[in-house]
Amino acid sequence: MRFIFTFVIISLLSLTVHAQPPAGSNPLIGSIDGTVLDSISKEALEYAQVAVLKSADSSVVASIYTGENGTFVLENLPAGKYIIKVSNSGYRSKFIPNIQLSPQKPLRKLGNVSLVTIDKAIDEVIIQADKTALQIGLDKKVYNVGDDISVTGGSANDVLNNVPSVEIDQEGKVSLRGDGNVTILIDGKPSSLSGGNGKSLLDGIPAASIERIEIVTNPSAKYDPDGTSGIINVVLKKNIKRGLNGSVSASAGTGNAYNGAVNLNMRNTKFNVYGNYAFDYKDGYRNQFMYLKQFYGDSTVYFDQERLGSDLNISHTAKIGMDIYLKDRNTLSWNVSGNLGDRERFGDQNNYRYANSNDTIGYWNRIATDPSGNKNLDAGLNYSWEFKEDKGTADFAAYQSFGQGYNDGIYEQRFTYPSDTSSLFQNLYSDENTNITTLSMDVVRIFKEKWRTESGLKMIRRNMGVNAYSESADTSGVYSQDTLTYFDYSYKERIYSAYGIVARAVKSWKFQVGVRLEQSYQEPNLLSENKSFRNQYFNAFPSGHVRYKFDKKGEMSLGYSRRINRPNSDNLNPFTSYADPYNLRRGNPELRPEYIHSIDLSYDLPMKKLTLSVTAYQRYASSVINRVKVFYPDGTSAGTFANIDNSVNTGGEIVFQYRPLPIWRNMLSINGNYIKYNDNSNVGTNFNREGFVLGGKLSSTLELMKRTLTIQVNGRYGAPAVTPSGRMQPRGSMDFSIDKSLYNGKWGVGLRVSDIFNTQGFRFFVDQPGVNQNVEFKWETRRIFINVRYRFGKTDIVDKKRPSDQPQGGGGGMDF
């Protein structure tokens, strides 16, 4: 705990030193006031920014926002000569020079200050410069969901499927650059909404609730070191428009798919209140086909499974929050978000087992109904202090996440052959709960506009539990508890961390080094069997970034970080799921943490019509945690997790954003890497594999009829890819969308066709000693959606330099 105590002292001293006025500074004696008006209508302009700049170097001394009647008062200003800058969204900034304050003239009344609206030509340039769907930085990509009409009526998984280098598998598991060990955050924090294991409650979050997706592939020391391939941060909507604003949208799709969303916010100079709600109902088929071949000496046994089924998802997602703008650049914020979801999967599965002589060994039918549900509630409290003269910030945050869920199974199994085998009627019940608490403090200091330091503390506490049991029916149809599943599992995790970062800018160069120190405790306990496990480890996670800006706007960056992939509660859970007795699923309580060394070399070149981003990367990982499939002589198999000795992943990513015409923009991303798995620890298996992983995504958008009609095409393709157990087969899909804006953007209608050629799905081949297996998943992906929306209120955005308007979950960047 010594390093935590040291960081507390350093951070508090930084705040104390900053709060003290510099020695020898001028006494605070003056004030400036006035009223900001529209030059034509003479109406008062609320929330215009008024800044006081030093005449000598234009550094900011103080700033304020106008009130409801356009008035402002800047008080306690030191004597000196100043320039007044007045700015507002949609208006030309106005500069008032030669403002002198002295003991003899301490007060200056500017009277009415009129701002002129931006003329039409400039306005067209601003429209063209609006944020694109994908904003590329050298260490982070930001995907703006509001600009993508191809996800209308979709979920968070549909959004992620459009993000370069991100893939979603048949179970909702997220991977980044071909690596499934990725950290999922909601609004920059660990959340029960992300499922706790990176997989998916995300499919229950409507796309209409999402503001943007942030992708960080080589994070700085400010970020938690979890996730070998990086961090995906899902930022839920929080309106920042002033006045009263809102929107309502609804869509309906083929195959019983419906959703709707409502967004409201009200903002003035003292507070911002916002809220949104989204509903999603989606029904459809979900089929699975598995063909297994096992070799026993000179004989071969075949086992085929064909399951036809349905999948119904219903979800409600809501968020409400408030920002309170206190005096002296202080903001107090709170928010509460929640998700309520229900899912019911049904399957009719035929099972065939026969020998190479086509002699039937067994034939049976299994009817499965798998209802599940979740309730999740997240609450956050944040206090932000922005230092004067833009010299830094201090943020204090508390975050609490609760989650409850259930996963049940109702099974009926009847044998046709052998006919004397008894039928099975069985019910499985499982309840889960999650409790995550996060406390953090972050301080950023900027010195002489060339040095920057960051420091902070963080505590994450996770408590999770699973309770399960099963019951079977006897010959008379009476159910009683059986011994197949009786299970009580708890998981506790404590992570205490502290970090420090130092950054320096020298001409065209920027340097940043940092380290994160972390003490972790894990306690997975199988209470029903009196089995306890305890993992405890201390780690240091260094990071470094170097950036160089060329004269012709191009930038190059080199980044390094050491990271960790901790086995989570699901990975460690030894409970065996018998939803399909021939395809079991279980965790591995003996998993060890995976450690990663990651290095990226990036080049970014923005041009008039083309923006090019190229990245070369390599990751070396030891004790690699991977999903594997183990086969047994009786024909059953178990999907579980194992540590593979090490892996080396070397690859590159290219992203083109090309705009040949002002009305036509295109994005093409390609990610390819060569991965090699080395393993001598798992006896009886062969995880020593190597090969290429290649994928690409294309988006093309055309804006017609004075940009009121938008047409968009999205395509994605994944080439055959190597896995530790075998290989993934090629996959791909294409979407089409069209959207028409009406009545100055207040109304809009749209049409979307997802997976036009009905090719989206997953197929993979397992190749292990004595075993070959082909597996195919296909669900309802081709749908036609019709959507309508309505917006009301003002459409101008307030100045985003307020602390509360900064992107959540970020930090640790190279910007000064």
Side-chain angles (χ1 to χ4, degrees):
M1 300 297 289
R2 291 181 180 178
F3 70 90
I4 296 180
F5 177 75
T6 302
F7 268 77
V8 171
I9 297 298
I10 293 174
S11 299
L12 292 178
L13 285 175
S14 298
L15 291 173
T16 303
V17 171
H18 184 86
Q20 296 174 350
S25 61
N26 294 332
L28 306 179
I29 54 93
S31 66
I32 300 173
D33 61 44
T35 304
V36 181
L37 305 175
D38 182 285
S39 62
I40 298 177
S41 67
K42 302 303 180 183
E43 293 182 356
L45 295 180
E46 178 189 1
Y47 224 94
Q49 185 181 32
V50 183
V52 180
L53 314 177
K54 288 183 179 179
S55 293
D57 56 8
S58 296
S59 61
V60 179
V61 177
S63 67
I64 197 172
Y65 293 86
T66 58
E68 296 180 3
N69 55 3
T71 60
F72 64 91
V73 179
L74 289 152
E75 298 178 310
N76 297 322
L77 298 173
K81 189 175 182 180
Y82 300 109
I83 301 171
I84 305 301
K85 177 184 177 182
V86 184
S87 58
N88 195 32
S89 176
Y91 292 82
R92 297 189 185 194
S93 297
K94 186 168 187 176
F95 294 87
I96 306 173
N98 302 320
I99 302 298
Q100 184 75 47
L101 293 180
S102 64
Q104 293 75 31
K105 295 183 178 181
L107 304 179
R108 285 300 305 267
K109 294 184 176 293
L110 301 181
N112 294 332
V113 180
S114 298
L115 296 185
V116 179
T117 56
I118 299 174
D119 59 35
K120 182 178 180 181
I122 296 178
D123 191 40
E124 289 177 352
V125 173
I126 290 176
I127 291 174
Q128 295 176 12
D130 281 347
K131 61 183 181 182
T132 58
L134 180 69
Q135 295 173 301
I136 301 174
L138 291 177
D139 56 356
K140 180 164 67 174
K141 296 181 179 66
V142 179
Y143 187 83
N144 298 298
V145 180
D147 299 316
D148 188 355
I149 63 174
S150 71
V151 298
T152 303
S155 69
N157 283 349
D158 296 305
V159 175
L160 290 173
N161 260 328
N162 282 348
V163 179
S165 302
V166 177
E167 296 289 342
I168 311 291
D169 71 8
Q170 74 281 357
E171 296 179 354
K173 180 74 175 178
V174 181
S175 63
L176 178 60
R177 289 180 175 174
D179 190 335
N181 297 317
V182 57
T183 298
I184 306 292
L185 303 177
I186 305 295
D187 285 336
K189 306 293 190 302
S191 169
S192 58
L193 283 171
S194 64
N197 57 350
K199 73 175 190 184
S200 244
L201 295 180
L202 295 178
D203 198 42
I205 301 179
S209 297
I210 301 173
E211 176 70 24
R212 65 184 181 275
I213 303 290
E214 298 176 347
I215 308 293
V216 186
T217 53
N218 209 357
S220 72
K222 180 171 184 175
Y223 292 86
D224 293 329
D226 302 82
T228 61
S229 57
I231 296 170
I232 297 178
N233 182 28
V234 180
V235 181
L236 301 181
K237 283 186 175 178
K238 168 188 170 181
N239 293 333
I240 59 173
K241 297 177 181 179
R242 63 184 181 181
L244 178 63
N245 301 271
S247 65
V248 181
S249 63
S251 71
T254 57
N256 290 327
Y258 311 95
N259 65 69
V262 178
N263 295 278
L264 290 171
N265 91 288
M266 185 176 69
R267 179 167 188 161
N268 56 30
T269 58
K270 297 181 179 180
F271 63 84
N272 176 43
V273 180
Y274 57 91
N276 57 70
Y277 165 78
F279 167 76
D280 187 70
Y281 180 101
K282 190 172 295 180
D283 198 1
Y285 66 81
R286 184 179 180 88
N287 301 331
Q288 175 180 316
F289 308 94
M290 308 178 75
Y291 305 101
L292 174 69
K293 183 191 296 185
Q294 285 185 293
F295 306 97
Y296 300 94
D298 296 332
S299 63
T300 303
V301 174
Y302 300 87
F303 180 33
D304 299 342
Q305 294 180 298
E306 299 177 349
R307 169 175 167 147
L308 302 178
S310 61
D311 191 0
L312 171 64
N313 282 276
I314 304 173
S315 69
H316 305 262
T317 303
K319 181 175 183 178
I320 186 172
M322 184 176 186
D323 303 319
I324 305 172
Y325 306 125
L326 308 174
K327 293 182 178 180
D328 301 324
R329 295 170 170 252
N330 290 265
T331 303
L332 180 65
S333 305
W334 62 264
N335 66 82
V336 178
S337 59
N339 176 268
L340 178 65
D342 289 289
R343 182 179 187 182
E344 183 167 310
R345 289 176 291 178
F346 172 82
D348 185 349
Q349 179 175 284
N350 289 320
N351 304 267
Y352 308 89
R353 189 169 174 82
Y354 51 95
N356 54 355
S357 59
N358 288 325
D359 293 334
T360 301
I361 300 174
Y363 168 54
W364 65 98
N365 175 263
R366 183 176 177 87
I367 302 294
T369 303
D370 300 291
S372 61
N374 63 275
K375 299 177 182 178
N376 302 280
L377 182 67
D378 295 351
L381 182 65
N382 180 273
Y383 175 75
S384 180
W385 173 22
E386 183 177 320
F387 302 153
K388 291 182 178 180
E389 300 182 8
D390 297 324
K391 293 299 183 181
T393 59
D395 290 277
F396 306 87
Y399 193 80
Q400 182 66 49
S401 180
F402 299 101
Q404 291 183 344
Y406 69 90
N407 291 277
D408 298 341
I410 302 171
Y411 309 111
E412 300 178 10
Q413 187 165 290
R414 293 180 171 87
F415 282 82
T416 301
Y417 183 86
S419 58
D420 57 349
T421 304
S422 301
S423 298
L424 175 66
F425 300 89
Q426 190 174 51
N427 300 332
L428 275 69
Y429 305 96
S430 174
D431 295 316
E432 304 178 7
N433 63 80
T434 304
N435 186 333
I436 305 174
T437 303
T438 304
L439 300 176
S440 65
M441 178 183 72
D442 301 280
V443 178
V444 179
R445 292 291 314 279
I446 298 176
F447 303 93
K448 298 182 180 180
E449 300 182 358
K450 293 184 177 181
W451 286 92
R452 190 188 78 249
T453 64
E454 298 185 39
S455 60
L457 301 170
K458 192 171 189 178
M459 184 275 288
I460 300 177
R461 181 181 66 91
R462 291 185 177 93
N463 290 329
M464 303 179 184
V466 181
N467 182 276
Y469 73 96
S470 62
E471 60 182 18
S472 300
D474 57 23
T475 54
S476 61
V478 177
Y479 283 87
S480 60
Q481 185 169 334
D482 59 27
T483 58
L484 179 64
T485 302
Y486 173 65
F487 174 77
D488 191 3
Y489 171 74
S490 72
Y491 174 81
K492 296 181 180 179
E493 183 178 71
R494 305 289 185 269
I495 302 174
Y496 305 96
S497 61
Y499 73 90
I501 297 173
V502 177
R504 175 80 160 94
V506 181
K507 296 183 179 179
S508 298
W509 291 90
K510 293 180 181 179
F511 306 90
Q512 176 178 291
V513 294
V515 65
R516 190 177 190 93
L517 306 177
E518 189 177 89
Q519 179 69 52
S520 303
Y521 304 89
Q522 287 183 323
E523 297 181 18
N525 298 313
L526 188 55
L527 304 177
S528 52
E529 298 182 14
N530 293 319
K531 294 181 179 179
S532 298
F533 306 87
R534 182 178 175 85
N535 302 316
Q536 175 180 338
Y537 37 89
F538 174 83
N539 284 292
F541 299 99
S543 67
H545 294 82
V546 179
R547 177 182 293 184
Y548 179 77
K549 185 172 183 179
F550 298 95
D551 292 337
K552 294 183 179 181
K553 297 183 179 180
E555 287 188 303
M556 181 170 286
S557 172
L558 177 66
Y560 164 80
S561 66
R562 181 176 186 258
R563 305 186 58 74
I564 187 175
N565 178 31
R566 270 179 281 264
N568 58 46
S569 62
D570 283 355
N571 299 152
L572 298 169
N573 187 346
F575 167 65
T576 300
S577 171
Y578 291 90
D580 181 348
Y582 282 85
N583 293 280
L584 310 176
R585 288 180 296 172
R586 68 168 67 98
N588 179 2
E590 297 181 359
L591 282 177
R592 303 182 305 277
E594 173 184 354
Y595 293 97
I596 306 95
H597 297 273
S598 177
I599 186 168
D600 282 12
L601 178 63
S602 301
Y603 178 71
D604 183 40
L605 178 62
M607 293 178 280
K608 185 176 181 180
K609 295 183 177 182
L610 173 68
T611 297
L612 174 65
S613 177
V614 181
T615 302
Y617 59 87
Q618 185 175 72
R619 295 192 300 265
Y620 173 82
S622 59
S623 299
V624 180
I625 298 175
N626 225 306
R627 289 192 296 176
V628 297
K629 201 162 190 178
V630 181
F631 295 87
Y632 304 106
D634 62 356
T636 63
S637 65
T640 184
F641 300 88
N643 285 109
I644 298 173
D645 287 348
N646 62 75
S647 70
V648 180
N649 190 337
T650 304
E653 181 185 57
I654 302 176
V655 180
F656 298 91
Q657 293 191 89
Y658 180 52
R659 198 161 194 164
L661 299 172
I663 61 172
W664 186 20
R665 63 179 186 268
N666 304 272
M667 181 184 70
L668 172 65
S669 65
I670 301 173
N671 177 74
N673 57 283
Y674 188 86
I675 187 166
K676 183 177 182 179
Y677 296 99
N678 302 298
D679 181 64
N680 296 306
S681 302
N682 296 279
V683 180
T685 60
N686 179 21
F687 298 143
N688 291 288
R689 299 183 183 275
E690 57 185 292
F692 285 98
V693 178
L694 180 65
K697 298 184 180 183
L698 172 67
S699 175
S700 183
T701 304
L702 187 64
E703 297 171 314
L704 304 173
M705 300 176 66
K706 297 182 178 180
R707 297 187 174 176
T708 63
L709 178 67
T710 303
I711 302 173
Q712 183 171 323
V713 177
N714 291 75
R716 58 195 68 86
Y717 173 75
V722 65
T723 70
S725 299
R727 66 178 181 271
M728 183 75 69
Q729 305 291 30
R731 58 206 180 277
S733 63
M734 181 171 288
D735 304 333
F736 172 81
S737 310
I738 184 169
D739 184 89
K740 182 67 172 74
S741 179
L742 305 168
Y743 300 105
N744 296 321
K746 290 188 175 295
W747 285 90
V749 294
L751 172 72
R752 178 169 79 96
V753 183
S754 63
D755 194 14
I756 298 172
F757 303 108
N758 200 29
T759 54
Q760 186 175 351
F762 277 90
R763 294 181 298 121
F764 59 86
F765 177 70
V766 177
D767 182 14
Q768 288 293 300
V771 176
N772 288 333
Q773 185 181 46
N774 283 289
V775 182
E776 180 180 353
F777 292 90
K778 186 69 183 81
W779 59 98
E780 189 157 357
T781 55
R782 181 165 59 187
R783 299 179 187 265
I784 301 175
F785 290 90
I786 297 176
N787 59 81
V788 62
R789 67 180 183 274
Y790 172 68
R791 297 171 180 168
F792 60 90
K794 296 183 179 180
T795 58
D796 48 336
I797 306 294
V798 300
D799 186 86
K800 290 192 175 183
K801 293 183 180 180
R802 298 282 309 216
S804 59
D805 297 330
Q806 298 301 316
Q808 301 180 41
M814 293 283 292
D815 296 327
F816 287 81

